[in-house]
Amino acid sequence: MERPLPRPGVDEVLVKIKMAGICSTDLEIMKGYLPFEGILGHEFVGTVVQGSEKECREEGLEKLIGRRVVASINLPCYSCAACKKGLYNHCFKIKTLGMRDKDGAFAEYLIIKQENLYLVPETLDDREAVFVEPIAAAVEIAEKIHIKPTARVLILGDGKLGLITAMVLMALGLDVGIIGRHADKLKVLDGQDIRTYLPEEFEGMADILVDCSGNSSGLKMAMDMVRPEGKVVLKTTVADSQAFNLSSVAVNEISIIGSRCGPFDPALRLLKRNDLPLNRMIDSVYKLEDGVQAMERAAQQGVLKVLLDME
Ligand SMILES: [Zn+2]
Ligand SMILES: [Zn+2]
């Protein structure tokens, strides 16, 4: 669909998208997880092409024009009660790129606030940089809970976020295992010093269990696999819901912690310092005009990352 080229406002820049990733959240939004009707897409890498007229006269922006960037996805209002407490990601009037009141990156161009931008190190190519947002989401686990370096961490689910979370926690030096149903997907982690299990193979208990199952039944499984007084980190966000008995949470004194978006600076550092096998995560690359086929491909069972190439 043709739309006029958006114009950046004060403190905003116009970014020409180079590459964007289709995330399971995009597919969930299409199923009704969020009431969003704008342009989808929150995982991208692009080039800054223009700032607002006011900003252009200032020095800072000159350095940004022509630079390769990624951007954090939340746009808080800075004036509501949550923002006043510093809980910017929980702003009551939050706008979120490609999810809430803000057009996303499945387009040729995007407008974003300058404060959301992060420069991409030159050593990272576009196909790595496009993964910064999910890597940041995985980094957030260590931001949310204290993980002892000796802890046995187990990830539930071998989908995109599960595999990326395994890579990130491994890069942080932890003892990491992952449970998935798909031997072909677990192969992405070959040679990564991450233990992989099919569901029937896992025995024992994890100190920390990260639910990346993308399934409403994941939490129940997670509670059965974590040790008493262990922690379950919930990463799954799905449109459907399921009711079950939570008594074992009380009896076994399990902590359940929700975790969503994460910080971009450490995610970029981690990407720069580690040679993560992200290229094995890429299923296919489509042109933007073939976006419908790309979404269909991404929605198929067992398909890992589908990218949109805007160049
Ligand atoms: Zn995502
Ligand atoms: Zn706010």
Side-chain angles (χ1 to χ4, degrees):
M1 186 167 48
E2 287 289 323
R3 296 192 183 199
L5 192 64
R7 285 171 66 127
V10 174
D11 300 329
E12 290 180 334
V13 293
L14 180 66
V15 174
K16 186 168 192 325
I17 311 291
K18 289 165 75 71
M19 194 162 257
I22 299 176
C23 170
S24 303
T25 307
D26 300 318
L27 303 168
E28 287 296 321
I29 291 171
M30 289 183 74
K31 283 195 249 167
Y33 163 61
L34 293 173
F36 179 64
E37 290 181 354
I39 299 170
L40 287 167
H42 56 275
E43 302 176 5
F44 76 95
V45 53
T47 308
V48 178
V49 290
Q50 192 193 329
S52 68
E53 280 175 37
K54 171 184 170 286
E55 290 292 324
C56 274
R57 276 183 261 113
E58 290 170 13
E59 231 184 357
L61 194 83
E62 285 304 305
K63 288 189 286 187
L64 280 177
I65 303 276
R67 299 294 293 275
R68 211 157 49 110
V69 291
V70 289
S72 58
I73 66 174
N74 287 320
L75 299 147
C77 75
Y78 293 111
S79 59
C80 72
C83 283
K84 279 183 182 151
K85 283 196 180 296
L87 299 166
Y88 302 118
N89 282 352
H90 299 283
C91 167
F92 298 145
K93 295 182 213 155
I94 200 161
K95 295 178 181 179
T96 306
L97 190 66
M99 290 187 212
R100 200 188 298 265
D101 300 327
K102 172 78 185 139
D103 280 335
F106 296 164
E108 278 182 87
Y109 292 91
L110 167 80
I111 296 273
I112 189 87
K113 285 210 169 165
Q114 206 175 320
E115 67 182 44
N116 288 60
L117 296 181
Y118 295 80
L119 294 175
V120 176
E122 281 182 15
T123 50
L124 294 183
D125 65 32
D126 292 344
R127 288 176 183 227
E128 294 172 291
V130 77
F131 283 95
V132 170
E133 196 276 334
I135 286 177
V139 166
E140 176 69 8
I141 294 166
E143 192 78 5
K144 273 271 152 35
I145 60 168
H146 175 224
I147 308 177
K148 290 183 182 172
T150 49
R152 191 173 186 202
V153 184
L154 189 68
I155 290 143
L156 186 61
D158 56 10
K160 296 183 283 290
L161 191 58
L163 295 170
I164 286 178
T165 300
M167 289 180 207
V168 166
L169 297 180
M170 179 275 300
L172 294 176
L174 295 164
D175 174 0
V176 179
I178 179 168
I179 300 183
R181 292 184 192 286
H182 311 91
D184 54 326
K185 289 204 241 173
L186 294 172
K187 255 180 110 61
V188 166
L189 302 171
D190 275 1
Q192 294 298 303
D193 199 15
I194 295 167
R195 283 169 287 103
T196 59
Y197 307 92
L198 296 170
E200 59 279 7
E201 288 174 348
F202 180 75
E203 285 173 11
M205 286 183 283
D207 298 311
I208 293 169
L209 199 137
V210 186
D211 172 26
C212 296
S213 62
N215 192 306
S216 55
S217 60
L219 180 59
K220 174 86 183 72
M221 275 180 80
M223 285 171 355
D224 292 340
M225 290 170 170
V226 74
R227 69 164 168 82
E229 297 192 21
K231 292 171 187 163
V232 172
V233 180
L234 202 57
K235 277 284 182 194
T236 292
T237 51
V238 283
D240 71 325
S241 57
Q242 210 174 85
F244 55 87
N245 192 314
L246 285 168
S247 308
S248 70
V249 174
V251 173
N252 294 325
E253 302 190 304
I254 294 166
S255 307
I256 300 177
I257 299 110
S259 168
R260 193 178 55 179
C261 316
F264 271 47
D265 272 329
L268 280 162
R269 277 200 295 277
L270 190 137
L271 256 184
K272 197 176 153 187
R273 292 174 189 173
N274 296 275
D275 191 16
L276 304 179
L278 293 167
N279 55 331
R280 296 189 208 152
M281 297 276 304
I282 299 170
D283 171 82
S284 46
V285 184
Y286 287 79
K287 289 276 161 205
L288 180 60
E289 54 267 33
D290 300 322
V292 174
Q293 287 99 302
M295 290 299 272
E296 284 169 2
R297 174 74 192 154
Q300 282 171 23
Q301 276 290 327
V303 169
L304 290 175
K305 189 57 94 181
V306 176
L307 297 175
L308 293 170
D309 185 349
M310 280 66 163
E311 291 185 313

